[in-house]
């Protein structure tokens, strides 16, 4: 695979050149205030045939009060309070089927796996989480990356980012969860949501033990659209190819959702990962967000990998890193 981004030795020095909006904090403070409604957490046990974990179907009220689905899994018979990992998924993915267990409950921790509204088609499962607001505006039918992109108040990811931080808040209320020991994680889109959720958690006063964004998406939009050959970013390019002259408006909206700007607001330790041959989330854009993270941080770099990143190697690293944070 050609190395189209910066060489590895130049990646740590890269910085995003796009300034954040003057009203960035005001926008997100108002968004969170508008969505300060009851979490309405509902939990029902699910029969999976597994004897080592207990799985529950969980629903909470996300952006606008819309019900967001998740799997909530704990070691069988656990009484808690337990360290907890909250997972966000890659673009097109979702919580999937309840018997497909992540490693976190096998490590003795609680785990919440959140659906992404309006997605889930690549993983399937029992019941998808819809987005009641999809399909409106001139961007309808062009793809989720430009759904509602006319205005930051109507953009698709405004709803998803609020869902993500409310998933952390919902986890903190659960019987088996130690609310002082929660870590957020996810890969690709899930990595971008991890950055956003950590930043917004700091705004609502929810302490996290850590964040683990893998090859995160939704960072340094301008450069990502210019460089990404595959994945969802080309949806933005294709939209602007047809809607000529609208790039200032579109990138003005996207700037409110850039993981580079959100990373500056995070307050917890972080373990990032980047892949040098990634043509979906260019590694320079990952380093751009990493550079702005103000708290303790580490990054694992996979020199000869694409968007798959470290896969099982990174999972092993995360298990060790999370155990250290939980024990602190």
């Amino acid at each position: 695979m050609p190395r189209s981004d910066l060489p590895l030795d130049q990646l740590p020095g890269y910085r995003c050149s796009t300034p954040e909006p003057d009203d960035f904090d005001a926008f997100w403070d108002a968004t969170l205030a508008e969505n300060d409604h009851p979490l309405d957490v509902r939990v029902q046990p699910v029969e999976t045939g597994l004897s080592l974990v207990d799985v529950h179907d969980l629903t909470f009220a996300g952006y606008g009060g819309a019900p967001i689905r998740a799997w909530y899994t704990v070691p069988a018979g656990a009484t808690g309070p337990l360290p907890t990992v909250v997972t966000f998924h890659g673009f097109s993915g979702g919580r999937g089927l309840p018997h497909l267990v992540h490693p976190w409950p096998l490590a003795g921790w609680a785990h919440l796996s959140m659906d992404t509204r309006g997605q889930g088609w690549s993983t399937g499962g029992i019941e998808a989480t819809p987005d009641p607001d999809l399909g409106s505006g001139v961007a309808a039918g062009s793809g989720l990356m430009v759904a509602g992109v006319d205005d930051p108040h109507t953009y698709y990811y405004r709803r998803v980012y609020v869902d993500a931080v409310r998933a952390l808040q919902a986890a903190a209320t659960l019987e088996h969860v130690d609310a002082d020991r929660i870590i957020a994680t996810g890969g690709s889109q899930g990595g971008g949501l991890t950055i956003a959720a950590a930043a917004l958690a700091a705004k609502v006063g929810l302490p996290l033990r850590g964040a683990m964004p893998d090859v995160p998406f939704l960072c340094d939009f301008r450069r990502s659209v210019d460089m990404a050959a595959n994945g969802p970013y080309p949806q933005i390019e294709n939209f602007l190819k047809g809607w000529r002259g609208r790039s200032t408006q579109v990138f003005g909206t996207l700037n409110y959702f850039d993981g580079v700007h959100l990373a500056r607001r995070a307050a917890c330790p972080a373990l990032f990962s980047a892949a040098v041959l990634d043509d979906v989330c260019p590694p320079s854009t990952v380093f751009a967000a990493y550079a702005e993270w103000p708290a303790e941080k580490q990054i694992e770099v996979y020199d000869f990998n694409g968007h798959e990143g470290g896969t099982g190697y990174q999972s092993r690293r995360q298990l060790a890193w999370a155990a250290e944070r939980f024990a602190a």
Side-chain angles (χ1 to χ4, degrees):
M1 185 183 297
R3 295 175 180 260
S4 57
D5 205 343
L6 296 172
L8 177 57
D9 62 352
Q10 295 180 25
L11 288 171
Y14 173 75
R15 297 295 184 271
C16 174
S17 61
T18 305
E20 64 182 46
D22 291 339
D23 63 342
F24 186 90
D25 284 304
F27 172 80
W28 281 111
D29 290 343
T31 295
L32 294 170
E34 291 168 17
N35 287 277
D36 189 22
H37 44 261
L39 288 162
D40 192 23
V41 179
R42 305 182 185 189
V43 180
Q44 294 290 335
V46 176
E47 179 53 54
T48 61
L50 302 175
S51 59
L52 299 181
V53 295
D54 295 330
V55 182
H56 308 81
D57 187 358
L58 183 147
T59 304
F60 66 92
Y63 178 95
I68 306 299
R69 310 293 292 273
W71 296 129
Y72 169 47
T73 308
V74 297
T79 57
L82 299 173
T84 301
V85 175
V86 176
T87 296
F88 307 112
H89 298 285
F91 192 85
S92 82
R95 64 177 182 160
L97 292 162
H99 68 280
L100 300 176
V101 176
H102 292 246
W104 317 115
L106 302 181
W109 308 329
H111 178 232
L112 190 149
S113 174
M114 186 194 87
D115 254 353
T116 307
R117 61 168 66 212
Q119 298 188 32
W121 61 85
S122 68
T123 46
I126 293 177
E127 185 177 354
T129 295
D131 182 358
D133 295 304
L134 276 178
S136 61
V138 297
S142 302
L144 292 178
M145 292 304 298
V146 288
V149 77
D150 293 331
D151 188 293
H153 293 88
T154 60
Y155 187 48
Y156 169 72
Y157 278 103
R158 183 179 187 230
R159 303 189 290 278
V160 179
Y161 284 10
V162 170
D163 293 344
V165 70
R166 287 181 66 82
L168 297 176
Q169 292 175 303
T173 71
L174 296 171
E175 175 186 359
H176 297 94
V177 171
D178 182 345
D180 292 324
R181 290 191 292 170
I182 297 176
I183 287 177
T185 191
S188 192
Q189 175 185 257
L193 296 183
T194 297
I195 293 171
L200 299 182
K203 281 185 169 293
V204 298
L206 177 64
L208 297 181
R209 280 297 174 94
M212 301 187 295
D214 280 338
V215 292
F217 184 49
L218 306 167
C219 296
D220 200 347
F221 276 102
R222 177 71 261 192
R223 183 173 177 86
S224 291
V225 171
D226 287 344
M227 298 197 65
N230 291 300
Y233 283 123
Q235 290 183 20
I236 301 170
E237 179 182 354
N238 290 334
F239 179 79
L240 293 173
K241 186 184 298 183
W243 293 101
R244 293 164 175 81
R246 293 181 59 178
S247 61
T248 298
Q249 178 186 18
V250 167
F251 284 106
T253 289
L254 297 175
N255 206 16
Y256 287 89
F257 302 89
D258 200 313
V260 174
H261 306 326
L262 285 157
R264 299 186 185 108
R265 275 81 182 171
C268 63
L271 173 65
F272 279 67
S273 76
V276 175
L277 301 183
D278 194 339
D279 63 352
V280 175
C281 297
S284 58
T285 68
V286 176
F287 271 88
Y290 178 75
E292 300 299 330
W293 198 274
E296 173 197 342
K297 58 188 176 182
Q298 302 172 38
I299 187 167
E300 295 290 331
V301 180
Y302 296 94
D303 194 5
F304 291 93
N305 291 93
H307 193 53
E308 77 280 2
T311 58
Y313 293 89
Q314 185 65 10
S315 296
R316 180 175 62 186
R317 179 72 181 91
Q318 289 179 328
L319 282 163
W321 188 87
E324 292 173 359
R325 302 287 87 70
F326 286 146

